[in-house]
Amino acid sequence: MRRPLLVLAAGMFAIGTDSFVIAGILPDAAHRLGVTTATAGWLLTAYALTYALLGPVMAALTTRWPRRTLFLTGYAVFTTGNLLTAATPSFTTALTARALAGLGGAMITPAAVAAATALAPPERRGRAIATVMTGLSAATALGAPLGTALAGLTGDWRTTLLFVSALGLLAALGTALFLPGLPTPPAVPLRTRLTPLTDHRIGLTLLTTLLAYTGLYTVYSFIDPALDRATGGSGTTLAALLFVWGLAATAGTLTSGRLVDRYGGRRVINTALTLAALDFALLPWSTAHLPTTVVALLVWGACGWGLLAPQTHRLITTLPAAAPLLTGLASATVYVGVALAPIAGQAGLTHLGPHRLGPLGATLIALALVTAEAAHTAIHRKETETQ
């Protein structure tokens, strides 16, 4: 089981790098494409929103595809989108290319998480999901800082997109060589895939994810101006801070799976959300100096990424028969939050300034804590009724 999970995690690393690296190079991208930094934030939204909206659609359309064929096709689309983004001087074309890359991610990620769930026995599903999700968090630790550093060294944000394209090609190669044959899941219509949304337990859990990741990425979407007091405008220092954030995210993802298996999801979810909300509320002060910024990013990375596995686990244990559908909805909801975050961040930049985005994010994360408890109550009530 270990090798297939590592292959899937490698693919998530490529997709995760593409998701997060743009934030670190946003000012240069804006300058090169002739738009403002706030407007350039749509480059993040185009990728994330396409992924989020088309994830369930592509899962339904590609149900009968052999899993290896699906993954390889997704990587081809993903890589093409990044190469086109690197090649165009037009902001409009860059947006379209980013959406194309998002389509590739929409084909890959739900299938990867569902495959991890299918490969693991019930008592190890938390760890299996966390292993695959580690590819995303490792992208924050290595991929995004490397991409940011490359742009700083070459003076051109397009170098970063070429780097991401290379990661896509390497992930495709690993899939072709090492991913074993996986059973093709039964055909499920799109309407059926969305049916779990009518269950209020599922709806509240997904709403928690949406609020949390919108809050978490409101700041990350504009992380360069948000941390400029600590970095002094240095791209190298920003890359180092992103590396610290990514290491914490990786540790949080790996640890959360074991904590869920040992203590249950509720404690992990509530603890992560509480600490993240407090951390973000203090960002206007903590990010004024480099040492306290490091501490803030450690808490942010560990708690933010430590939320993924327990939230997915909560969904799967609530409706086990719909696990493949729910994993797709879970990852799509994360990306809806990532897509909405730059929009919220743009409003925050206009009315609050880059150094006051933290409390805006904290408000959304605090609301996520409320909906998380509402989800727990609804799940517990249903379990009591069926006993």
Side-chain angles (χ1 to χ4, degrees):
M1 182 182 74
R2 184 172 177 80
R3 177 177 285 185
L5 291 177
L6 292 177
V7 169
L8 294 170
M12 299 295 279
F13 177 81
I15 293 171
T17 298
D18 198 23
S19 301
F20 310 125
V21 76
I22 294 295
I25 58 174
L26 205 58
D28 185 45
H31 174 71
R32 301 273 182 168
L33 294 172
V35 296
T36 65
T37 299
T39 300
W42 285 100
L43 293 172
L44 288 86
T45 299
Y47 179 95
L49 194 59
T50 300
Y51 168 82
L53 295 180
L54 293 185
V57 175
M58 296 309 299
L61 293 177
T62 61
T63 296
R64 296 187 182 276
W65 291 25
R67 297 298 90 181
R68 186 182 285 109
T69 299
L70 172 58
F71 286 126
L72 292 177
T73 303
Y75 288 128
V77 174
F78 170 83
T79 302
T80 300
N82 280 292
L83 289 173
L84 288 175
T85 305
T88 181
S90 164
F91 179 68
T92 302
T93 306
L95 280 179
T96 303
R98 289 297 293 158
L100 182 64
L103 173 60
M107 298 174 70
I108 297 165
T109 306
V113 177
T117 304
L119 286 166
E123 68 275 10
R124 295 182 64 87
R125 280 178 181 165
R127 271 173 264 192
I129 294 168
T131 298
V132 173
M133 289 300 183
T134 299
L136 286 177
S137 55
T140 67
L142 297 175
L146 281 175
T148 302
L150 279 173
L153 290 172
T154 62
D156 191 348
W157 74 289
R158 300 178 194 282
T159 307
T160 300
L161 275 299
L162 295 177
F163 167 66
V164 174
S165 301
L167 291 178
L169 291 174
L170 289 174
L173 180 62
T175 299
L177 293 178
F178 301 116
L179 188 69
L182 295 170
T184 303
V188 181
L190 179 60
R191 178 177 295 180
T192 303
R193 289 181 179 276
L194 298 178
T195 297
L197 291 174
T198 61
D199 187 318
H200 65 287
R201 298 171 298 171
I202 301 302
L204 285 169
T205 302
L206 291 175
L207 180 58
T208 299
T209 299
L210 177 64
L211 289 169
Y213 283 92
T214 302
L216 289 165
Y217 280 89
T218 294
V219 179
Y220 187 88
S221 299
F222 300 97
I223 195 152
D224 190 339
L227 300 185
D228 61 2
R229 292 175 297 173
T231 65
S234 167
T236 302
T237 304
L238 177 61
L241 288 174
L242 290 177
F243 179 71
V244 169
W245 181 77
L247 286 178
T250 303
T253 306
L254 289 172
T255 304
S256 66
R258 290 181 172 83
L259 291 176
V260 169
D261 290 338
R262 184 171 181 179
Y263 298 109
R266 184 190 182 193
R267 288 186 182 180
V268 180
I269 291 169
N270 289 357
T271 300
L273 288 173
T274 300
L275 291 176
L278 292 172
D279 187 43
F280 270 54
L282 295 173
L283 284 180
W285 299 275
S286 61
T287 57
H289 308 284
L290 187 58
T292 49
T293 298
V294 171
V295 175
L297 290 178
L298 288 172
V299 176
W300 175 0
C303 293
W305 282 93
L307 190 62
L308 278 176
Q311 279 290 99
T312 304
H313 187 267
R314 173 173 278 184
L315 290 169
I316 292 172
T317 53
T318 300
L319 287 178
L325 309 182
L326 292 172
T327 53
L329 289 174
S331 57
T333 303
V334 170
Y335 274 80
V336 171
V338 174
L340 293 176
I343 300 173
Q346 288 173 27
L349 283 175
T350 301
H351 299 290
L352 302 173
H355 304 144
R356 297 284 175 178
L357 292 177
L360 175 60
T363 301
L364 294 168
I365 297 168
L367 289 174
L369 180 60
V370 174
T371 59
E373 273 301 284
H376 168 75
T377 300
I379 292 168
H380 181 70
R381 183 183 297 118
K382 184 67 174 182
E383 290 174 346
T384 303
E385 291 174 355
T386 56
Q387 289 177 351

